[in-house]
Amino acid sequence: MHEWALAEGIISKADRIAIENNLEITDIVIQIGELQQIDDEILQFALEQLRTDNMKKARFTLETIKAKLKCRACGEEWRLDLSSLDEESSEAVHFVPEMAHVYIKCPRCGSPDFEVLEGRGVWLASVRGVRKDG
Amino acid sequence: MHEWALAEGIISKADRIAIENNLEITDIVIQIGELQQIDDEILQFALEQLRTDNMKKARFTLETIKAKLKCRACGEEWRLDLSSLDEESSEAVHFVPEMAHVYIKCPRCGSPDFEVLEGRGVWLASVRGVRKDG
Amino acid sequence: MADPRLEILERRLANVRKIIAVSSGKGGVGKSVTSVVLALALRDRRFKVGLLDLDFTSPSTHVILGVRDLQPIEDYGIIPPVAGGLSYMSIVFYAFDNPAPLRGLDVSNSLIELMAITRWGELDYLIIDMPPGLGDATLDVIRLVKNISFLIVTTPSILAFETVKKLVNLLNSLKTPILGVVENMVMDDKGRIRGEVDKLGVRYLGEIAYDAGLEASMGSVEKLKGTRFYVSLERILKGLL
Amino acid sequence: MADPRLEILERRLANVRKIIAVSSGKGGVGKSVTSVVLALALRDRRFKVGLLDLDFTSPSTHVILGVRDLQPIEDYGIIPPVAGGLSYMSIVFYAFDNPAPLRGLDVSNSLIELMAITRWGELDYLIIDMPPGLGDATLDVIRLVKNISFLIVTTPSILAFETVKKLVNLLNSLKTPILGVVENMVMDDKGRIRGEVDKLGVRYLGEIAYDAGLEASMGSVEKLKGTRFYVSLERILKGLL
Ligand SMILES: Nc1ncnc2c1ncn2[C@@H]1O[C@H](COP(=O)(O)OP(=O)(O)O)[C@@H](O)[C@H]1O
Ligand SMILES: Nc1ncnc2c1ncn2[C@@H]1O[C@H](COP(=O)(O)OP(=O)(O)O)[C@@H](O)[C@H]1O
Ligand SMILES: [Mg+2]
Ligand SMILES: [Mg+2]
Ligand SMILES: [Mg+2]
Ligand SMILES: [Mg+2]
Ligand code: NI
Ligand code: NI
Ligand SMILES: [Zn+2]
Ligand SMILES: [Zn+2]
């Protein structure tokens, strides 16, 4: 349920964009890194509930971005199999994605020193709207 | 004169690429971040001297990339006026570009917490060549 | 792409009256013990107090407090559990006893993530236990926590004080408020540090003697409250409030 | 784009027989003093020794050694100056007394840059003074310096030892060799740490007592060589060689 906290951030950022550009927002695209294993139904619901007057009819599109990791020690690039994490680790990464460095190792050399090339965090990818009168 | 050390790295990397791809190298493009204030005549000379058999006739092209900084504290983006650095600071940044965070501050808010968007370090931008027989 | 976390971070701290980062250029000077004891002493004066451990790669406050079997509650974000009367947050709730090999970028991201989702509610004080050095965590709290002030810890050693000078220098150039300097682990008082702190134009808040009984009090809030360390910090606190 | 620095870094260390990182999960345990004294003690046994300070945001070895008015020489790279008989390299040659507020990425870049241009020449030992924690510098030396081994420093405190356990755990999982653990600042020996180190399957190298005379020796190689600290480390060294 900390998806609500993330939704709050998204709505607030979008609302600020609306105000600064005098927009009535029609479309909001949100990218969700797979690593964080966000429950997108909850996130979607939270967004609907928290929407402001500047985005009354806005459509929220959630896109999941696959996690892609690259080892700094040996150069290996890999896609993550999240089902390999036990529940505790999975929970930890859900709250703080960097905990990946605690629970995940490079499949080739065993190093926790990897880069998350793609699939980390929750981002506001784009906001579209129509200019309001006045 | 530590330009020789940098040239050594460039030549060795290019040579490895030549060997791995069985190439006779014809063109090497090197990007030099302005921040580091490399003496490109010395670098060019060093490259000529250190060239290996896999790059006998290679042309070395040096491109200087202007330094562009962005403040993490206030968001300001700016191009650096390197002439504003005194000799000691300038020398320090020449050897270790990160010393920029010691001697340079954001012109808007005074923070040393900025990102070097462009113009750091010496990079091998591209290597071209023709495949050798055999 | 916009990072929505930065948008809420400030709001999460909106109902916190005073935020104090306990910091030093150096490790091992007593930042963590000072953070915990400061938080406990404020709590004893009936303030609502939070404690946040930002030393992600070597957290200590959970060991000092003796935190065991606690976990934040997930509720429109996360609600810090209560330890020793303090609203308490640490990365160990997620890393447990495992090593957390985090690069600076990961430290920065973890810090932003945690601060964006943690709902402290109303607090009189939030005490932040900082990692040593002038790295990502220090730069991030300066940049992201608008109304922060720094409490600096040093020891009498020249090695510690040299790094403290640099921290003061940095904070001054950024106009970040410094509450003052606490001199910890004093063995035979020579007054040298007091003079040096005066020269920096920073308040010397007082000294805490080396306390051989401190180690035996680790992990017990009750025992900590009975230490000479606690008494010394109480005295310093009087001058701070 | 390819980073040419990584290409030469290894070659710069090609003529160094043994590389020892003096490390700990925690700050303030005596890594820097141990690094300096270890380097001096090796040097006294007629070895060629280099000392590299990688604690960029709070360097201390120059203060311990009393380095003043030295500067590397630029010559097809940079040649470390000699201090106390050691080939010596530190970021202070470039940052001087100024604060160096470096994020992890900057630490990593500075480390790579320095190691790529420094020409150590032939050395029997290169001692590296590490910053505390499991951050960029630690991960980079593990990743970039192939034949490195770690000497771990702890104090008798549970706070220090908890972080040392994590460091050992990390190094083991990466198969990075650990020379052993030195227990520093021992006041009343209870043997607790020795037992704990045994349990980790790591060698307990010996203890160094708290030395009240150490502080007065800071900045003088001659005085350092007359300390009880030096004598204790000498004894530990015998078991190491
Ligand atoms: N006044 C004191 N007397 C005795 N030991 C102390 C005192 N202050 C701190 N210590 C001990 O010193 C070590 C470092 O303290 P800690 O709070 O972990 O420092 P830091 O957070 O700055 O790294 C710990 O073992 C702690 O118990
Ligand atoms: N055996 C010892 N006896 C007395 N003081 C010590 C001893 N070892 C280290 N110190 C002091 O403890 C402090 C921390 O040592 P330092 O080497 O800087 O630790 P680190 O590099 O781990 O941060 C310094 O003030 C140092 O002089
Ligand atoms: Mg990462
Ligand atoms: Mg930078
Ligand atoms: Mg601490
Ligand atoms: Mg040190
Ligand atoms: Ni959740
Ligand atoms: Ni040069
Ligand atoms: Zn790997
Ligand atoms: Zn700025």
Side-chain angles (χ1 to χ4, degrees), chain A residues 2-17:
Chain A
H2 90 297
E3 279 75 358
W4 280 84
L6 303 172
E8 222 183 308
I10 294 164
I11 293 294
S12 210
K13 181 81 201 175
D15 197 53
R16 182 202 296 273
I17 292 170

Side-chain angles (χ1 to χ4, degrees), chain B residues 8-25 28 52-55 124 127 132, chain D residues 2-11 146:
Chain B
E8 221 183 310
I10 294 164
I11 293 294
S12 150
K13 182 79 201 177
D15 196 55
R16 183 202 296 272
I17 293 171
I19 292 166
E20 281 170 3
N21 298 283
N22 198 31
L23 287 182
E24 167 72 39
I25 295 179
I28 296 183
T52 66
D53 284 353
N54 293 315
M55 53 190 87
L124 193 57
V127 170
K132 287 182 190 170
Chain D
D3 184 347
R5 300 172 302 173
L6 297 178
E7 203 67 26
I8 34 171
L9 198 150
E10 230 176 304
R11 200 183 312 162
K146 293 306 170 207

Side-chain angles (χ1 to χ4, degrees), chain A residues 9-21 23 25 28 51-55 124 127, chain C residues 7:
Chain A
I10 294 164
I11 293 294
S12 210
K13 181 81 201 175
D15 197 53
R16 182 202 296 273
I17 292 170
I19 292 166
E20 280 170 4
N21 299 283
L23 287 182
I25 296 178
I28 296 183
R51 63 165 79 228
T52 66
D53 284 352
N54 294 316
M55 54 190 88
L124 193 57
V127 170
Chain C
E7 203 68 24

Side-chain angles (χ1 to χ4, degrees), chain C residues 148-224:
Chain C
I148 203 163
S149 40
F150 275 67
L151 180 74
I152 300 178
V153 184
T154 188
T155 68
S157 171
I158 183 174
L159 296 187
F161 195 71
E162 280 299 305
T163 71
V164 159
K165 275 201 265 185
K166 291 177 185 171
L167 176 60
V168 167
N169 185 332
L170 176 71
L171 294 172
N172 280 341
S173 82
L174 291 171
K175 300 184 187 60
T176 306
I178 300 173
L179 293 176
V181 175
V182 171
E183 185 180 3
N184 186 26
M185 299 201 235
V186 175
M187 289 194 154
D188 43 352
D189 188 12
K190 300 205 189 63
R192 196 183 70 83
I193 296 294
R194 179 189 286 268
E196 293 281 335
V197 170
D198 284 347
K199 270 191 241 163
L200 291 175
V202 175
R203 224 172 123 197
Y204 180 87
L205 294 171
E207 57 177 60
I208 299 174
Y210 182 88
D211 179 354
L214 190 61
E215 186 67 20
S217 312
M218 289 294 152
S220 158
V221 168
E222 277 325 300
K223 285 187 191 161
L224 282 170

Side-chain angles (χ1 to χ4, degrees), chain C residues 26, chain D residues 27-28 30-33 53 55 58-61 64 129-132:
Chain C
K26 194 152 166 62
Chain D
K31 292 180 295 299
S32 296
V33 182
D53 192 328
D55 192 352
S58 38
S60 298
T61 54
I64 302 172
D129 183 26
M130 298 297 296

